[in-house]
Amino acid sequence: MNLIIEGFAWIFDPAHWTTSSTSQGISEAFVQHIILTGISLLLTVLIAVPLGFYIGHSGRGRQVAIISSNVARAVPSLGLLTVLILAIPIIPGIPNNYLAYIIVFVLLGIPPMLAGAYAGLESVDRETTDAARAVGMTEWQVLTKVEIPLGASLIVGGLRSTTLQIVATVTIGSFLGQVSLGTFIVDGLEQGDFVKMIGGAILVAALALVLDGILALVQRFVVPRRVSRGSIDTGNTAHGMRLRASTPGTPITEGN
Amino acid sequence: MQWVWENFPQIWALTLDHIGLSAPPIVIGFVLSIPLGYWASRSRVARSILLSVFSILYTLPALVLFVTVPVALGLAILDPNNVIVALTIYAMAIMIRSANDAFGSVSADVRESARAVGYSPVQRFFRVELPLAGPVLLAGIRVVSVSTVSLATVGGFIGIPSLGNLFQTGFQIHFFPELWAGIVAVLIVAAVFDLILSGLGRLLIPWNRRRTRRRATRMVAKEVIA
């Protein structure tokens, strides 16, 4: 446990924040990590969300979405990373082989975002969308005013998984030479400097937790008021409460 | 392909290492998650504590957990048990959620009926609740199995032998056949594990028809996203 305290001390030592000829500084690594995550996340969302909405709204290509997310779970991200980094040529003018890394991060980020966008729309009752059509909404209105708000929680859930996936893959990318917060873990392991390694691990963990925390808050606020939180929360609580609300007198069996 | 035949003994040895690294977390994670998931489905307090603790742990990238576990447990940094413990934590993060859903989906009426015909709580658990929870538990463990096999490759880079070693050396010498061999081997291990699990499922829950299976898979898929 001492090592963890030393890891914190390592982080708070100002000398470790600037890059010198012998060691990587935290500031630069942090900025790299954020930039890579941000760009990849943006591209992922731009590609996967419209596609997921299309699949969820039309019901077409559902199989593709399911298969892609299953395959993505099975393919080791590290393996895909090594193959594509070697396969994609370095483009002059783009620093640090960025393009190759970003392509990989986007490829790995797409499946959870796609699944979230599609599952969010799919979770909306058919009767609800049909009712929306019946009152004269256009398909676009059905999508933007009914399906997206009602599916919002799952959609943001997909964004959360994608964000974590990308943060984690950027970290692993350090094994292949890309500078990020993972660099400290990799260097620390190589040099037997476990304080640095733990310091890096704490930084990555903090970044993942903060980003996930922010998105968890977003997830809470995107659900329209007075809408039950949909199918994610159908634990016993929701079930029990609904029972209580609809049929008074039904014994509440929770806690037996 | 030729490279694969020439180096088959090495690939096979790494495959065995990989299985040794990824099978225990799947089994241990499942066994530990059943009582915890059941507890979560019965008690609101247990549910909120267990689900939030494990969802925070699940947030941590694999590499972070792989290097933090030895420090927290006082193990040597190159001890394979580190990876096993870390992967077990991930397995439990998914499996406790599935088990909570699985037991939560057993209707209260069914439980009451079991009690009415005289089942003791233990009998009720093993003869009524566990079998009814079966399909969702199976769907959950299949997700766990696939992601555990894939994550174990990261072990190769921190010096613990696994199929990830092929990625590391293949990358260093820019040798594609080795990289592809690694990816394909991981996919084969994952597929074999999945076949074993679905076979066990067929054996233990023979009434699990396509419709229940699909519903169970969908339930777990949503949990994994959210």
Side-chain angles (χ1 to χ4, degrees), chain A residues 184-196:
Chain A
F184 304 111
I185 303 181
V186 173
D187 288 355
L189 266 169
E190 247 167 43
Q191 301 156 1
D193 183 350
F194 296 143
V195 174
K196 185 197 260 186

Side-chain angles (χ1 to χ4, degrees), chain A residues 7-54:
Chain A
F8 275 107
W10 180 87
I11 293 171
F12 291 117
D13 183 346
H16 295 133
W17 281 78
T18 47
T19 306
S20 72
S21 54
T22 49
S23 68
Q24 178 64 47
I26 297 174
S27 331
E28 194 197 331
F30 179 74
V31 170
Q32 292 270 20
H33 208 121
I34 294 287
I35 290 178
L36 279 172
T37 306
I39 297 177
S40 311
L41 198 56
L42 189 70
L43 291 174
T44 305
V45 168
L46 285 177
I47 297 169
V49 169
L51 199 60
F53 283 172
Y54 172 76

Side-chain angles (χ1 to χ4, degrees), chain A residues 78 157 161 232 236-237 253 256, chain B residues 41-42 47 104 108 115 157 225-226:
Chain A
L78 203 46
S161 316
I232 4 169
N236 308 359
T237 339
T253 43
N256 289 0
Chain B
S41 77
R42 289 284 83 91
R47 177 165 58 243
R115 189 146 52 143
F157 276 71
I225 295 165

